[in-house]
Amino acid sequence: LHIAILASILSLIIYWIIRDKYRVRNLNGKHVFITGCDTRLGNSLAKWLDKRGFCVIAACATEKGSQELLSCSSLSLKTVNLNLADSNSIARAVMSVNEQTAGKGLFGLVSYAEGTAAAGPTDWLRIEDFRSVLDVSLLGLIEITLKLLPLLKKAEGRVVNLINAKGFMAFVGGGYSLSRWGMEAFSDTLRIEMQHFGVKVSIVEHGFFKAEEVNSDIEKYLFKLWNRLTPEIRDSYGEKYLVE
């Protein structure tokens, strides 16, 4: 019994030593760039890191999102406008990050994009429906990561990709699951390659927020897709398919 107690105490001490070793210290002056700060998750993360003392650069797709963040954060938090589907917008955001980090490099990049995804049976969709999702949730995130890698390497920083775990379940057609699996593969490859430069790459898998709103959005979109189908495809499924 005494040996078991001593072993437990020793294990606890080792745990605390290891945990403290990886704790980030001296947060002052460490810049973190976060995408998707109009969303609930990105917005909350930007505010939390700001309170912890990081120099947060929050990317928002809307002016409303930027103003909301600035109104309830410290003066060190900055916002930039970012449209992940637009390479020019990405270039402007990267230029802003370069200016704000002032040669110090980028301590962290948190990539997150969670918009309304075109989802439905595959033969209800057009190639444009796939592109509209992949351009933002995959290619846009990859592009901004590539352009920020020099700053991340300079600071021996870290990349954290937030991925909705439900996107790994391919229960419906569309680009959403493709983008989630694509970000997983991109992150795994980047992790191996960046080890040489001291840059860490992590994936954080999360679930849906406000599931009732998500379900409502999907239902509305399915009816929209149904209404644009050709008569031949509608007939092949039948009216009952949609209501079931």
Side-chain angles (χ1 to χ4, degrees), residues 187-206:
S187 302
D188 289 344
T189 303
L190 191 65
R191 183 184 304 114
I192 296 169
E193 295 170 345
M194 287 297 108
Q195 284 179 350
H196 176 73
F197 302 98
V199 176
K200 299 177 178 64
V201 180
S202 303
I203 297 170
V204 176
E205 298 177 2
H206 64 89

Side-chain angles (χ1 to χ4, degrees), residues 176-190:
Y176 189 71
S177 289
L178 294 178
S179 71
R180 302 303 79 190
W181 281 106
M183 281 304 294
E184 176 96 3
F186 175 71
S187 302
D188 289 344
T189 303
L190 191 65

Side-chain angles (χ1 to χ4, degrees), residues 142-160:
I142 290 175
E143 183 174 356
I144 199 161
T145 301
L146 295 177
K147 290 186 174 179
L148 288 173
L149 279 180
L151 291 177
L152 289 160
K153 288 160 69 174
K154 186 170 187 177
E156 293 189 357
R158 64 277 329 272
V159 178
V160 180

Side-chain angles (χ1 to χ4, degrees), residues 42-57:
N43 182 282
S44 298
L45 180 60
K47 292 175 181 175
W48 185 79
L49 290 177
D50 177 54
K51 289 178 180 177
R52 292 288 301 258
F54 286 98
C55 297
V56 175
I57 307 171

